[in-house]
Amino acid sequence: KNEVEQSPQNLTAQEGEFITINCSYSVGISALHWLQQHPGGGIVSLFMLSSGKKKHGRLIATINIQEKHSSLHITASHPRDSAVYICAVGGNQFYFGTGTSLTVIP
Amino acid sequence: DTAVSQTPKYLVTQMGNDKSIKCEQNLGHDTMYWYKQDSKKFLKIMFSYNNKELIINETVPNRFSPKSPDKAHLNLHINSLELGDSAVYFCASSHGADGYTFGSGTRLTVV
C-alpha cells in the first residue's frame, strides 16, 4: 500500500464543472503539497499547506491533519486545467501519490 | 529569467557511461532537490540538500551522487549508467513555506 493514495486516478469533466481530487496519507507529515504537471511535462507547485485551507484563483486546497486527508478543488473548470495533479507529503521522508489525470472537455 | 534551470534537456547515452545533469536556481532558495519520474509517471525524491545537510533517499543507488559547488547549484552525477536509469529527472528548490519551484526536467535515455 502506498503511503499516499489519490482518487480518482482519472477524471473527465465538462468545462465549468466543480472538480475535487482527494489525497489520503498514512505517514506523519510536516507539510502536504499539491503539484500540477502539464502534458508538456513541466511541474508547477500549486500549494504547500500544513493546516486549514488555501485559495489561489479558482483552486482551493484543504487539509485535515487528524483525518490525514487533503482535497484539491477546482471551481469553474477550464480545458487549460487539464493536467496531472500530484499530492506529495513530506516530513523526514517525502512521498508522492501516483497522480490524478484530469481532462476538461470544452 | 528561468528560476530553476536544468541542462541538458535531453540526454541520450550508452550503458556504462558516466554523465552529469546540472541544476541552477536564481531564487535565493536554501534547499535544492533531485526527483526521478519513471516511465509510469511516478515521482520519487532522490536527494534533498541545503548548506547544512544532505538527505539521501536510501533506495537511490550509490552510483548517483549530488554535488553542490555553492548554494545556487546542485548537480547530479551518475556513474556506470544502466538501462533502468532512463527517466525524467527534475531539479527543484524551496525556501521555507514558499513551496517548490521545479526545473523543466531532463529526459535521460540509456541505450
Side-chain angles (χ1 to χ4, degrees), chain A residues 2-6 23-24 85-89 95-100, chain B residues 41-43:
Chain A
N2 289 339
E3 290 83 359
V4 181
E5 297 280 353
Q6 284 185 236
C23 174
S24 296
Y85 292 83
I86 302 168
C87 173
V89 300
Y95 303 95
F96 290 86
T98 52
T100 295
Chain B
K41 303 293 185 183
F42 190 66
L43 270 168

Side-chain angles (χ1 to χ4, degrees), chain B residues 17-103:
Chain B
N17 284 351
D18 302 337
K19 290 293 179 185
S20 295
I21 306 171
K22 295 185 177 180
C23 180
E24 176 182 3
Q25 54 98 1
N26 62 6
L27 298 166
H29 286 174
D30 55 12
T31 306
M32 297 183 71
Y33 310 81
W34 278 105
Y35 297 89
K36 179 181 179 181
Q37 187 172 44
D38 60 25
S39 58
K40 296 180 180 177
K41 303 293 185 183
F42 190 66
L43 270 168
K44 182 189 291 186
I45 190 166
M46 301 177 72
F47 305 101
S48 68
Y49 183 82
N50 62 25
N51 57 2
K52 297 174 185 175
E53 188 176 16
L54 172 66
I55 299 175
I56 302 171
N57 184 326
E58 62 187 15
T59 67
V60 174
N62 58 14
R63 297 180 296 102
F64 290 79
S65 57
K67 298 274 194 309
S68 181
D70 56 56
K71 194 176 166 182
H73 296 83
L74 184 66
N75 303 324
L76 182 65
H77 295 266
I78 316 169
N79 294 325
S80 302
L81 277 155
E82 300 178 359
L83 293 176
D85 298 332
S86 296
V88 180
Y89 293 84
F90 287 95
C91 176
S93 68
S94 71
H95 181 75
D98 292 345
Y100 287 76
T101 301
F102 283 81

Side-chain angles (χ1 to χ4, degrees), chain A residues 40-43, chain B residues 2 4-6 9 88-91 102-106:
Chain A
I43 299 175
Chain B
T2 304
V4 178
S5 61
Q6 295 179 228
K9 195 171 175 65
V88 180
Y89 293 84
F90 287 95
C91 176
F102 283 81
S104 57
T106 296

